[in-house]
């Protein structure tokens, strides 16, 4: 079975010029947790997930490092949680999105897709045809298509 046979073709996505507000709105409206970020040619340039949002709004502790001669402190957050949440919304999506995107070709075999999802511990993979976004595959898609005929 190939990626093109099990992928979801209706992909929710955001443009690289969009704000995080647009991402959050799509997360809430479509009950999803991640989106490919595309350029004007519909090529995937980044991926943003709920984990990226959590890393931004979560508390950042002070970081203390030093040596025998000196000690330095990098201050964590001074902002309150709600301020971090509000400050995130107008940011450009590319400020927090992951730029190193793992994707698969539409002709990729399901067992290779399962291996990538498992080894890389990711939830979804963009599916590309000649470098252009054509679909998305989740862990659930692989499980459904792998087991539906034997259960």
């Amino acid at each position: 079975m190939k990626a093109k046979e099990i992928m979801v073709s209706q992909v929710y996505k955001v443009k690289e010029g969009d704000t995080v507000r647009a991402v959050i709105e799509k997360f809430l409206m479509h009950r999803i947790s991640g989106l490919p970020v595309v350029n004007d040619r519909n090529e995937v340039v980044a991926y943003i997930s709920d984990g990226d949002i959590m890393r931004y709004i979560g508390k950042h502790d002070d970081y203390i490092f030093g040596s025998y001669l000196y000690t330095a402190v990098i201050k964590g957050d001074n902002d309150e949680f709600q301020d971090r949440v509000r400050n995130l919304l107008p940011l450009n999506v590319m400020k927090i999105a992951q730029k190193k995107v793992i994707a698969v070709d539409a002709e990729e075999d399901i067992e290779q897709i399962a291996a990538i999802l498992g080894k890389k511990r990711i939830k979804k993979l963009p599916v590309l045809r000649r470098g252009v976004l054509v679909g998305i595959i989740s862990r659930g898609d692989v499980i459904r298509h792998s087991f539906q005929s034997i259960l």
Side-chain angles (χ1 to χ4, degrees):
M1 198 173 306
K2 305 284 186 189
K4 65 184 179 185
E5 299 171 69
I6 64 171
M7 71 183 189
V8 174
S9 297
Q10 182 186 4
V11 182
Y12 300 111
K13 60 192 173 193
V14 289
K15 296 275 191 172
E16 61 187 336
D18 285 346
T19 63
V20 175
R21 177 183 294 278
V23 171
I24 300 295
E25 288 171 350
K26 287 189 180 194
F27 280 6
L28 297 174
M29 183 185 321
H30 302 294
R31 300 180 66 113
I32 56 176
S33 60
L35 292 165
V37 182
V38 298
N39 62 18
D40 291 334
R41 295 180 303 279
N42 208 37
E43 299 164 329
V44 179
V45 295
Y47 194 89
I48 186 160
S49 71
D50 53 0
D52 300 316
I53 304 295
M54 294 301 109
R55 278 186 288 281
Y56 187 90
I57 64 174
K59 179 77 173 152
H60 301 101
D61 295 327
D62 293 347
Y63 180 72
I64 302 170
F65 64 97
S67 69
Y68 183 70
L69 299 174
Y70 70 93
T71 300
V73 176
I74 297 175
K75 210 58 179 138
D77 293 315
N78 290 328
D79 296 338
E80 294 294 322
F81 179 74
Q82 285 301 324
D83 292 333
R84 288 193 303 274
V85 169
R86 271 190 225 91
N87 293 339
L88 175 63
L89 294 175
L91 284 182
N92 177 279
V93 66
M94 294 301 288
K95 294 273 188 196
I96 65 168
Q98 300 297 313
K99 284 121 186 128
K100 184 178 176 187
V101 180
I102 299 170
V104 294
D105 188 79
E107 297 296 326
E108 189 66 71
D109 288 321
I110 192 170
E111 64 185 307
Q112 183 62 28
I113 294 165
I116 294 168
L117 289 167
K119 288 178 187 170
K120 299 291 184 179
R121 296 180 183 212
I122 53 179
K123 297 177 187 173
K124 296 178 181 130
L125 285 170
V127 180
L128 310 177
R129 181 175 292 122
R130 291 185 292 278
V132 175
L133 180 67
V134 293
I136 199 150
I137 294 177
S138 70
R139 291 176 182 181
D141 297 327
V142 173
I143 289 171
R144 271 188 296 284
H145 287 85
S146 299
F147 293 96
Q148 70 184 1
S149 63
I150 59 174
L151 291 179

